[in-house]
Amino acid sequence: MINSGYVLCFFLLSFFALKAQSVVESPDGKLMVSVAVNNGMPTYSVSYNAKAFLEKSPLGLKTNVGDFTSGLLLGANVIQNKIDETYELANIKQSKVHYVANEAVFSFTKDGKAAIDVIFRVSNNNVGFKYKIHPQKEARSCVVQEEASGFSLPEGTTTFLCPQSKSMVGFARTMPSYETSYTLDAPMGKNGNGDGYTFPCLFKVNNNGWVLISETGVDSGYCGSRLMGQEKGLYTIGFPMAGENNGNGTTVPGIPLMGETPWRTITIGETLAPIVETTIPFDLVKPKYEASQKYNYTKGSWSWIMKMDSNTTFRFKNNTLILVLLWDMKPF
């Protein structure tokens, strides 16, 4: 006869083990990411100091070799790593950066075969995640048709966003050139001027704090993305518009298998200080190459000096010409 107490203890231990495997925290324990599968659909949520900053949000990819947004199972074994790195960059907010984070690799299967991994890196105030796509049958490359990655903000959140412009308009048909006006403290539920928003995207989560959403690690192997406004506080990743790049080429990326996507980044702060001070765009990437020598900036020029519009003025200081560009910007 099996003791009921032992059975209860076994199930409790199993429950807590499963819960521990689906959660990754920041080194200081304040920022928490929870990953789950609901009816075959992978999701994640983010909290800071036990307050919800991102509610249950979708994960996954649709490709020409498989739909990895549904029918998925989360593997029991979650690989966890400690990240402790230092690097130096002379031209960012901090010249010397000590990056400490906890990494977790969540592996999903579909129809009994490896499908995708979702790799999360969680540092103090910052979350980064990206996908790794496994080979499917005989295919050794794929086209990513859609990225389901979403960011579901709590009700009452307001937005500080730059609407994406139409493509192939503006000066010399160079838009989208990320120069449209930000809308400040606006309600959710819109999609810019119909074409989403340009990164980075800032949100104020009621009185709890701030969320900054962006991307990093984009190179020639993938495409730059935008943020698409949906209903009920959900924002999703959008690929370029068909008219960009003079309509030349595809707007969806093709990658080798096994292959990885760029990082999606989330910075969270109870004040704006972590938003302003974050180095997450540089923390998650590695240099492509080392410079052959040290480069020191000397003199430079600005092509708009030839335009001579009303926003260009000239000043002299110590017999040195200083070009001043005045922009019509409104403070937050």
Side-chain angles (χ1 to χ4, degrees):
M1 180 176 180
I2 300 176
N3 188 303
S4 60
Y6 287 119
V7 174
L8 177 61
C9 181
F10 171 79
F11 279 110
L12 285 174
L13 288 173
S14 300
F15 170 78
F16 285 118
L18 180 61
K19 182 178 180 181
Q21 289 175 343
S22 63
V23 172
V24 54
E25 297 181 345
S26 59
D28 64 5
K30 295 181 179 180
L31 185 58
M32 178 182 295
V33 176
S34 300
V35 177
V37 175
N38 297 282
N39 296 321
M41 295 181 289
T43 64
Y44 76 105
S45 58
V46 181
S47 63
Y48 186 85
N49 270 343
K51 298 176 182 177
F53 277 78
L54 285 181
E55 297 176 340
K56 191 177 295 182
S57 303
L59 292 167
L61 302 160
K62 291 184 179 180
T63 78
N64 66 338
V65 297
D67 181 351
F68 306 126
T69 63
S70 63
L72 299 183
L73 292 175
L74 176 59
N77 295 323
V78 177
I79 300 173
Q80 301 204 27
N81 302 302
K82 300 286 187 182
I83 308 297
D84 192 332
E85 302 172 344
T86 58
Y87 64 91
E88 295 186 18
L89 283 174
N91 55 349
I92 66 171
K93 300 171 187 177
Q94 301 178 45
S95 59
K96 296 181 179 180
V97 179
H98 184 198
Y99 175 56
V100 180
N102 291 323
E103 179 184 82
V105 181
F106 299 93
S107 296
F108 294 87
T109 60
K110 184 168 186 176
D111 299 329
K113 299 179 181 178
I116 59 172
D117 296 343
V118 186
I119 303 167
F120 276 91
R121 290 261 191 100
V122 184
S123 57
N124 296 344
N125 297 105
N126 294 285
V127 176
F129 70 89
K130 66 178 179 179
Y131 300 95
K132 178 182 288 186
I133 309 174
H134 290 266
Q136 302 299 310
K137 297 182 179 178
E138 300 301 319
R140 291 299 178 264
S141 64
C142 76
V143 174
V144 181
Q145 300 164 330
E146 180 183 337
E147 187 172 328
S149 305
F151 311 86
S152 185
L153 280 302
E155 183 178 357
T157 295
T158 55
T159 70
F160 298 75
L161 303 176
C162 175
Q164 183 96 345
S165 68
K166 299 291 183 183
S167 62
M168 301 306 298
V169 298
F171 174 74
R173 299 199 309 165
T174 56
M175 299 184 83
S177 53
Y178 319 116
E179 294 181 358
T180 61
S181 298
Y182 272 76
T183 55
L184 308 181
D185 211 23
M188 298 188 297
K190 299 180 180 180
N191 190 33
N193 298 324
D195 296 302
Y197 301 96
T198 301
F199 287 129
C201 296
L202 181 65
F203 301 85
K204 187 175 188 296
V205 183
N206 301 301
N207 293 322
N208 291 341
W210 301 81
V211 175
L212 184 72
I213 298 171
S214 194
E215 64 181 358
T216 191
V218 181
D219 58 18
S220 60
Y222 212 78
C223 61
S225 303
R226 52 190 164 135
L227 199 63
M228 308 298 291
Q230 312 291 344
E231 296 180 348
K232 299 180 180 179
L234 176 64
Y235 294 82
T236 56
I237 294 295
F239 288 158
M241 292 176 278
E244 294 188 49
N245 196 31
N246 282 314
N248 181 30
T250 178
T251 61
V252 293
I255 62 175
L257 298 178
M258 172 177 305
E260 297 184 357
T261 68
W263 292 95
R264 309 302 170 200
T265 65
I266 306 160
T267 301
I268 292 176
E270 293 176 325
T271 68
L272 279 171
I275 306 296
V276 175
E277 296 169 358
T278 183
T279 56
I280 195 65
F282 309 97
D283 296 341
L284 296 172
V285 298
K286 302 292 185 183
K288 294 288 186 181
Y289 58 88
E290 291 187 8
S292 60
Q293 58 184 294
K294 183 177 180 180
Y295 292 89
N296 294 312
Y297 184 79
T298 55
K299 297 179 180 179
S301 63
W302 187 264
S303 62
W304 289 6
I305 195 171
M306 298 179 293
K307 184 72 174 179
M308 293 297 290
D309 60 29
S310 59
N311 288 329
T312 306
T313 62
F314 300 93
R315 298 176 184 172
F316 283 90
K317 183 177 181 180
N318 299 328
N319 296 321
T320 301
L321 174 64
I322 300 175
L323 175 62
V324 180
L325 300 174
L326 304 176
W327 296 89
D328 181 18
M329 299 183 68
K330 298 177 181 179
F332 283 83

